[in-house]
Amino acid sequence: MDVAVRASAAAATAEDAGHGRATARRRPRVGVVKFASCDGCQLTILDVEDHLLEIAERFDIVEFAEATSRRSSGPFDVLLVEGSISTPEQAVEIARLRAEAKLLVVIGACATAGGIQALRTAAEHEAFRAAVYPVPAYVDSLATARPVADFVQVDAELRGCPISPEQLVELLVSLTTGRRPQLPDQAVCLECKRRGIPCVVVARGLPCLGPVTRTGCGAICPAFGRGCYGCFGPRENANTAGYAQALVTGDAAAGADGRGRDPVDVGRLFAGFTGATQPFRSVTDSLAGRPPVTLRPTLASPPETLRAGPPTWGPAPSAPEAPSAAAAKEAPDGPRQ
Amino acid sequence: MGHGSDLRFKVENLTRVEGEGSLRLRVRDGIVEEAQLAIFEAPRYFEALVAGRTPDEVIDIVARICGICPVAYQMSAVHAFEDLFGIAVDPQVRALRRLLYCGEWIESHALHIYLLHAPDFLGYPSAVELARDHRELVTDGLRLKKSGNHLLSILGGRPIHPVSVKVGGFSRMPLRKELTALRPSLDEALRLSQATVDIVAGLEAPAFEREPRLVSLKHRAEYPLNDGRIVSTDGVNLRPSDWGEAFHEVQVPWSNALQSRGGDGLPYLLGPSARVVLASDQLHPLAKEALARTGALESIRRNPYRSIVARAVELVHATAEAIDIIDAYVRPGEPSVAYTPRPGVAAWATEAPRGLLFHRYVVGDDGKVAAATIVPPTSQNQAAIEADLATFAPAVLDLPMAEATHRLEQLIRSYDPCISCATHFLDLTVERAG
């Protein structure tokens, strides 16, 4: 499918033909919505500061709750969807939105791969619901968090945790010009070579997911002296099983002693923000590297449940100036030891 | 209107806040019977997801709680672990962590002031519409935000979920020339921040005053970011690891996020207003000067709508301190120090843009996290927000419904609530009975 051409055609169908103004294309109606996520990918839209107002001029942003109080239920020419589907309500909502959207574009690791929250299993979730909540009915969530494509058809995706601002602009520009977006599908390794970044596997013996991960981040982790942790997910045809085996045996990224790594540690390396994708999850499952989710002791007794009316501020504090002086006296001077 | 009958306000989807929430208010005979900030953001179970992970993995994972303030999560976590492991970091590492936090404050505060909050005061639905009439105002705000993001990128590779923070230091320290290259954009940001203070101090705030209990970190030698003691307007004074001694969590039926209360069961307020009031003597001289020019300190304390002035004063502080840190920077030989993990309880609080962020981890004998509790500022502020809604609502009951609703929404936005932050921790603070 050619995403850009379809979007362009979608906008073209909105020409004001009734008045003979065949050239007057209206601006594409764009919506931005979120499900279970950190808001970071939709924030990336606001982070392209140099282009933000230009984008707002070229597109009619009709739904973007984080940024505007204007609300719309659609229809959308382009709908950008952040987050994984994690509750029964969200499963219903994404189906409704799909019907309203000509093009549905999923953005970020949560929407494309389920995100870190997708690592929970159905069994763990049921254990939570049965044993953890004093009032489980207050909280509704699906057994697992899943990518949007598990529920509805997806027309395009931007990967990353978070997405790349450059790729976002590339996608939007391609939509307005009717060409295909140029999104890389190479390994992070190629990005390192292009940027002249020394290989952290070879030079430092660090485990790195670069050989099996799609680039898009600019290889920032190796550039900052650490191994890639897979934000953009597996690249196509990545031999994850073979690479994981090389990390275990020490053929890749041998430790200081020249030996390999604990398979559990290697499995955990693959259990990150795109760890629910099949190529990564299969490694983790085979190496038992995903930590079990345990029910844990917490700070104190279970929180009490309040049902009363609204809280009040209570009596006015008696000595507003007192704590400053007291704190200054007892506060540490500089770096804590 | 509203007398002798039920009156219900409902804003089903709050806008220009980070995450998903709604506001429900029930008034009977002029008395507010319910004021509920309902948070329906889907829980993501972060405290469960960090179990079995190494401290450095935890730092990467908890950043994903919030795309707006990932550094805050990294900072509370890294300090908690270093406190437990007895690690003394290089003074330049300590300074650079403050610099990283300054970048996040600049990015987050500029976002909130210009893109989320100012449109309320000026009568626009968003910054895009605002820009049609006041383009320079919005582009100034975007330039400010960009300077913070640029700083974050130099220190951590990218502004959202930076990659360089690790236990013992950083994975890489920047070259001096990389930091000095930021000076022009920060010099401009400082100038824009100072102008921002004057602009927002001149915005008309709805008349609303109350006596809140304020809580923040406080440090003898510096404005609170990574370090200090937890203090309050009513005499709390604790190590940053000991949050649980003065505060506790409660569950309410209408929210997916736990709330917090003081020992007396009453609400408290965190964030820029609390910090500016409790630590105004530690503001950078330029921020102090900007605050003094507004004469707004007392109204910041009493009127929640004036938080926008506190946020602007902190913009001046963050840009001015960033410049000072850069000017004094000497790149250390090693970006991090080696350490040996110890089992025990790692706990710490730092000042996220929205207020005190408390983390507590139980580290097992294998050096991995066995249990976690994360208490974000927005969940702690929920009760304060509801108390303010209940106090303020009667004053707007006679306005037309749309206007009343707008005033109440604007009040909620005054706290810069970060709902995606608030909602990931429900599972872990609630424990199995017995």
Side-chain angles (χ1 to χ4, degrees):
Chain A
M1 137 214 62
D2 194 322
V3 174
V5 172
R6 282 183 49 195
S8 184
T13 56
E15 287 170 12
D16 191 358
H19 293 83
R21 287 154 49 198
T23 53
R25 283 184 181 180
R26 69 167 172 82
R27 295 181 298 158
R29 287 169 57 87
V30 175
V32 183
V33 297
K34 70 156 277 175
F35 293 96
S37 62
C38 77
D39 288 37
C41 290
Q42 52 174 323
L43 183 67
T44 303
I45 299 168
L46 302 179
D47 274 358
V48 290
E49 291 96 354
D50 293 339
H51 302 293
L52 182 61
L53 292 179
E54 194 187 334
I55 289 169
E57 281 156 11
R58 286 212 209 175
F59 295 89
D60 190 12
I61 301 172
V62 294
E63 167 74 18
F64 188 179
E66 183 160 325
T68 176
S69 294
R70 289 174 66 198
R71 305 306 305 268
S72 168
S73 58
F76 307 103
D77 294 312
V78 182
L79 187 67
L80 303 177
V81 180
E82 174 190 288
S84 59
I85 304 301
S86 311
T87 69
E89 292 76 16
Q90 290 177 341
V92 172
E93 180 67 3
I94 190 62
R96 185 188 73 76
L97 287 167
R98 171 69 269 190
E100 293 281 317
K102 293 200 178 82
L103 277 181
L104 191 149
V105 181
V106 286
I107 60 170
C110 295
T112 60
I116 186 90
Q117 61 270 22
L119 295 179
R120 76 171 186 252
T121 65
E124 289 158 355
H125 185 255
E126 284 313 307
F128 271 45
R129 287 179 65 81
V132 176
Y133 297 109
V135 193
Y138 293 169
V139 182
D140 212 357
S141 66
L142 289 173
T144 57
R146 286 153 64 189
V148 171
D150 282 9
F151 295 83
V152 296
Q153 190 200 318
V154 163
D155 299 313
E157 66 173 22
L158 288 180
R159 294 200 195 175
C161 185
I163 58 169
S164 140
E166 291 78 20
Q167 290 192 4
L168 174 71
V169 171
E170 166 63 16
L171 178 88
L172 293 175
V173 168
S174 71
L175 290 178
T176 55
T177 56
R179 66 170 171 78
R180 203 183 183 85
Q182 305 290 309
L183 303 174
D185 178 35
Q186 297 143 341
V188 172
C189 289
L190 271 145
E191 189 81 29
C192 274
K193 292 196 170 60
R194 196 156 41 225
R195 292 187 56 191
I197 299 164
C199 177
V200 295
V201 176
V202 174
R204 303 189 186 213
L206 294 175
C208 176
L209 290 183
V212 293
T213 299
R214 185 191 282 196
T215 189
C217 58
I220 50 175
C221 283
F224 275 75
R226 59 176 289 187
C228 162
Y229 57 94
C231 292
F232 279 68
R235 71 179 172 89
E236 226 160 318
N237 303 318
N239 180 6
T240 49
Y243 183 58
Q245 198 53 40
L247 288 170
V248 170
T249 59
D251 289 342
D257 53 3
R259 290 162 56 184
R261 296 177 180 277
D262 185 334
V264 174
D265 290 341
V266 173
R268 225 172 48 250
L269 177 65
F270 284 82
F273 306 100
T274 56
T277 55
Q278 194 278 332
F280 284 0
R281 185 154 210 158
S282 61
V283 168
T284 304
D285 288 347
S286 71
L287 298 178
R290 196 179 61 83
V293 174
T294 51
L295 299 175
R296 310 150 308 276
T298 54
L299 263 183
S301 52
E304 58 187 301
T305 303
L306 299 183
R307 292 173 171 282
T312 59
W313 281 110
S318 51
E321 295 310 317
S324 308
K329 215 176 297 165
E330 294 181 40
D333 256 322
R336 242 173 357 80
Q337 298 301 317
Chain B
M1 161 181 178
H3 298 292
S5 66
D6 262 14
L7 181 63
R8 289 163 196 264
F9 287 95
K10 254 189 166 180
V11 183
E12 284 301 345
N13 283 279
L14 293 169
T15 57
R16 280 183 280 138
V17 298
E18 291 95 9
E20 299 195 295
S22 69
L23 157 66
R24 286 176 207 143
L25 205 61
R26 191 158 59 82
V27 185
R28 185 191 289 271
D29 297 332
I31 293 169
V32 179
E33 289 192 336
E34 277 176 13
Q36 301 179 348
L37 179 66
I39 288 182
F40 49 86
E41 179 93 14
R44 287 185 290 150
Y45 304 102
F46 268 95
E47 290 79 356
L49 293 169
V50 298
R53 300 283 188 162
T54 65
D56 280 338
E57 289 168 10
V58 170
I59 290 169
D60 289 332
I61 291 171
V62 295
R64 268 66 182 185
I65 291 170
C66 181
I68 297 100
C69 56
V71 169
Y73 285 86
Q74 295 181 338
M75 287 296 116
S76 285
V78 80
H79 281 281
F81 293 124
E82 288 174 356
D83 188 47
L84 172 64
F85 302 156
I87 298 169
V89 299
D90 187 286
Q92 288 294 343
V93 166
R94 187 178 190 279
L96 223 56
R97 286 185 179 162
R98 282 184 73 79
L99 184 63
L100 187 69
Y101 229 144
C102 285
E104 180 156 291
W105 277 28
I106 295 168
E107 161 266 314
S108 177
H109 281 0
L111 169 75
H112 190 260
I113 293 171
Y114 282 94
L115 298 187
L116 308 184
H117 209 190
D120 268 338
F121 289 90
L122 299 168
Y124 294 89
S126 81
V128 170
E129 279 86 357
L130 178 60
R132 287 194 190 124
D133 295 338
H134 304 279
R135 191 172 180 102
E136 203 178 331
L137 183 72
V138 176
T139 52
D140 281 354
L142 289 171
R143 270 211 294 280
L144 253 170
K145 191 164 103 55
K146 189 182 174 186
S147 71
N149 279 337
H150 195 185
L151 181 51
L152 289 164
S153 295
I154 295 299
L155 296 179
R158 60 187 172 197
I160 299 170
H161 309 326
V163 302
S164 61
V165 176
K166 60 183 278 192
V167 176
F170 285 94
S171 61
R172 174 185 185 271
M173 297 280 280
L175 303 172
R176 189 170 156 72
K177 67 178 181 193
E178 290 175 296
L179 290 185
T180 51
L182 293 167
R183 273 299 300 267
S185 100
L186 285 169
D187 288 342
E188 185 196 33
L190 176 59
R191 188 177 53 72
L192 292 171
S193 301
Q194 289 167 316
T196 303
V197 172
D198 297 329
I199 293 167
V200 300
L203 296 173
E204 193 183 341
F208 172 39
E209 300 209 327
R210 84 292 195 231
E211 283 289 334
R213 168 161 49 179
L214 306 175
V215 175
S216 81
L217 284 185
K218 181 161 176 76
H219 190 280
R220 194 168 79 179
E222 58 194 27
Y223 198 68
L225 282 168
N226 292 290
D227 203 356
R229 294 179 67 86
I230 302 172
V231 303
S232 76
T233 42
D234 61 348
V236 168
N237 187 344
L238 295 168
R239 260 198 110 221
S241 51
D242 297 339
W243 176 89
E245 289 185 15
F247 309 101
H248 65 280
E249 298 178 296
V250 297
Q251 188 178 13
V252 296
W254 57 86
S255 181
N256 276 5
L258 293 175
Q259 298 193 350
S260 293
R261 299 283 201 277
D264 52 9
L266 296 176
Y268 57 95
L269 181 66
L270 308 172
S273 299
R275 288 189 297 251
V276 164
V277 169
L278 288 165
S280 60
D281 49 335
Q282 299 300 353
L283 281 167
H284 190 280
L286 293 174
K288 246 185 226 174
E289 187 185 302
L291 174 62
R293 215 164 48 231
T294 66
L297 185 57
E298 180 60 12
S299 72
I300 286 171
R301 187 176 74 81
R302 294 172 61 98
N303 185 339
Y305 289 98
R306 297 288 270 175
S307 69
I308 193 168
V309 184
R311 223 167 265 117
V313 168
E314 287 193 336
L315 262 183
V316 177
H317 178 91
T319 48
E321 176 162 0
I323 289 168
D324 290 351
I325 291 171
I326 286 172
D327 287 351
Y329 177 66
V330 181
R331 194 185 200 217
E334 293 296 328
S336 66
V337 291
Y339 65 93
T340 311
R342 285 177 205 160
V345 173
W348 203 255
T350 68
E351 285 287 349
R354 286 152 197 80
L356 195 78
L357 167 62
F358 177 68
H359 288 206
R360 180 183 185 272
Y361 302 97
V362 178
V363 178
D365 293 330
D366 59 357
K368 299 196 177 74
V369 165
T373 302
I374 296 170
V375 190
T378 292
S379 53
Q380 298 180 68
N381 272 344
Q382 282 180 103
I385 296 172
E386 291 180 348
D388 278 348
L389 286 168
T391 311
F392 183 64
V396 299
L397 289 182
D398 293 330
L399 295 173
M401 187 66 102
E403 174 64 17
T405 304
H406 169 74
R407 288 287 186 86
L408 295 172
E409 264 204 284
Q410 183 184 0
L411 178 61
I412 291 175
R413 280 194 283 270
S414 297
Y415 308 93
D416 189 6
C418 186
I419 292 170
S420 18
C421 278
T423 312
H424 51 282
F425 68 110
L426 187 62
D427 65 306
L428 76 104
T429 32
V430 187
E431 71 176 2
R432 185 207 297 268

